[in-house]
Amino acid sequence: MSYDLLTASDDSETPMSSPRRSPTLRRRRLSAELRRLRRDCGLTALDVTDRLNWAAGKLTRMERGEWVRPNPRDVQDLLDVYGVTDQHQREQLMAWAREGRERGWWHPYRDMLSESYTTFIGLEAETATERTFELAVIPGILQTADYARALMSRGPAEISAAEIDHRVEIRMARQQILTGEDPLRLWAVIDEAALQRPAGGDVVMRAQMQHLIKVAELPKVTLQVIPFSSGTHPGTKGPFTILEFRERQDPDAVYVENVAGELFIEEPEEVDSFRIAFERLTAVAKSPEDTIATIAGLARQ
């Protein structure tokens, strides 16, 4: 599915000019900066709420990034309260507010996505490097449509065929960031169990293995498999994805998904623990060259 098709509906909001620019990231930056400005002024959220006569909890939600479309007037009022007079700084924050109101390619599907997953694909859209580990299945960003459909049809939740189709469309659309003018740098480590576990039958699995080989040829994709012979490893507790950004102002984050839901981790110390785990996983995994040979052998089987 093309990016144009994904953004063709609902003209009431302006789409981002590029699928590699993310309104989610702009809102995240804005929330963090507004929170910093308030703290630097020595004001509490209640102090600001009283001064602006806002509803209780409004500022807290803004600072947590729990807003869909930032109101530039609200941002302007906050800058006045915080005494921000530097014109360049004001213009930058107002620009983030305007860009945060735009919509990404995932907008048509917002009603069927959880808030955490929407945040994940929104941040992923502008991630510079993604490091992902999967224990039991092929990572979503590397799945074929048939493989993804087979997984979803036997997943923990009962969903209709129509919803499965939409979810497959979303998963395929995510993969567009692997190609194009500014592709994502992807490093994926997969446990051998994911390659050996059939999903959808031999034809589907063979096509999935061939797809992995093809994607691994992309210049910014690194693929490694941890063989059964490695025994236990730091990833046995479950899959995770590390999102790393270009700008210093955008802190790295970790996305963890399980049956109960999704979790975002942004505390630097906790993110570092996942980064260390990923480095240890790459150390026990096969080399990229041996990985491709292993996958090719499975495809022939």
Side-chain angles (χ1 to χ4, degrees):
M1 172 171 282
S2 70
Y3 174 70
D4 292 337
L5 287 176
L6 284 168
T7 58
S9 62
D10 193 356
D11 294 332
S12 61
E13 298 177 31
T14 304
M16 298 296 287
S17 60
S18 166
R20 287 291 276 144
R21 290 183 64 227
S22 169
T24 307
L25 188 62
R26 301 305 187 279
R27 293 194 295 269
R28 187 179 187 231
R29 288 177 181 173
L30 182 60
S31 296
E33 185 63 12
L34 291 177
R35 183 170 60 250
R36 184 191 68 79
L37 288 171
R38 176 181 59 76
R39 290 174 176 173
D40 287 351
C41 290
L43 297 173
T44 66
L46 182 58
D47 293 334
V48 178
T49 296
D50 289 342
R51 289 193 188 186
L52 295 175
N53 196 28
W54 282 358
K58 176 177 177 178
L59 180 60
T60 300
R61 291 192 296 272
M62 293 170 64
E63 291 186 353
R64 288 177 178 173
E66 298 172 358
W67 49 7
V68 177
R69 304 189 68 200
N71 187 329
R73 178 55 188 271
D74 288 344
V75 175
Q76 183 175 334
D77 290 343
L78 288 173
L79 297 181
D80 291 340
V81 170
Y82 300 152
V84 179
T85 58
D86 182 86
Q87 193 59 31
H88 176 73
Q89 184 180 15
R90 291 181 69 98
E91 290 176 356
Q92 179 64 83
L93 292 171
M94 294 302 295
W96 288 345
R98 291 190 297 271
E99 292 167 0
R101 291 172 62 82
E102 298 171 349
R103 61 185 173 95
W105 62 261
W106 55 91
H107 179 81
Y109 302 100
R110 64 193 183 282
D111 292 337
M112 62 178 294
L113 301 176
S114 69
E115 181 178 342
S116 296
Y117 188 69
T118 301
T119 300
F120 168 63
I121 59 179
L123 293 178
E124 182 186 57
E126 204 165 341
T127 298
T129 300
E130 179 172 322
R131 306 178 193 275
T132 186
F133 167 72
E134 273 290 354
L135 182 63
V137 299
I138 306 300
I141 199 169
L142 296 175
Q143 294 175 6
T144 65
D146 289 338
Y147 180 91
R149 185 172 286 105
L151 287 182
M152 294 176 191
S153 64
R154 302 189 67 179
E158 293 185 7
I159 54 179
S160 67
E163 185 172 348
I164 289 176
D165 288 341
H166 288 317
R167 291 181 181 274
V168 171
E169 289 174 2
I170 295 169
R171 191 154 297 183
M172 296 304 102
R174 280 180 57 205
Q175 299 179 11
Q176 295 181 25
I177 60 176
L178 295 177
T179 57
E181 297 180 359
D182 182 25
L184 171 76
R185 173 74 175 91
L186 176 68
W187 194 334
V189 177
I190 309 172
D191 192 281
E192 185 178 352
L195 303 180
Q196 296 282 5
R197 177 171 289 102
D202 290 345
V203 173
V204 171
M205 288 302 297
R206 184 175 299 109
Q208 177 64 71
M209 297 303 106
Q210 292 170 344
H211 179 68
L212 289 177
I213 294 172
K214 181 179 179 180
V215 174
E217 295 174 352
L218 295 173
K220 286 193 173 183
V221 173
T222 300
L223 183 61
Q224 290 184 269
V225 168
I226 299 179
F228 289 135
S229 59
S230 293
T232 59
H233 53 70
T236 52
K237 288 190 175 181
F240 60 88
T241 297
I242 306 171
L243 303 178
E244 300 176 352
F245 302 92
R246 296 180 178 86
E247 304 295 335
R248 185 183 298 273
Q249 62 190 322
D250 301 320
D252 298 342
V254 174
Y255 176 75
V256 180
E257 185 177 14
N258 55 44
V259 175
E262 305 92 1
L263 175 65
F264 254 103
I265 299 170
E266 298 182 273
E267 289 297 325
E269 296 81 6
E270 296 182 29
V271 173
D272 283 343
S273 67
F274 281 92
R275 189 176 287 110
I276 292 172
F278 190 84
E279 291 174 355
R280 291 176 177 173
L281 289 169
T282 63
V284 299
K286 291 185 176 183
S287 69
E289 295 76 17
D290 289 343
T291 290
I292 298 305
T294 297
I295 295 174
L298 291 173
R300 287 192 296 271
Q301 292 178 18

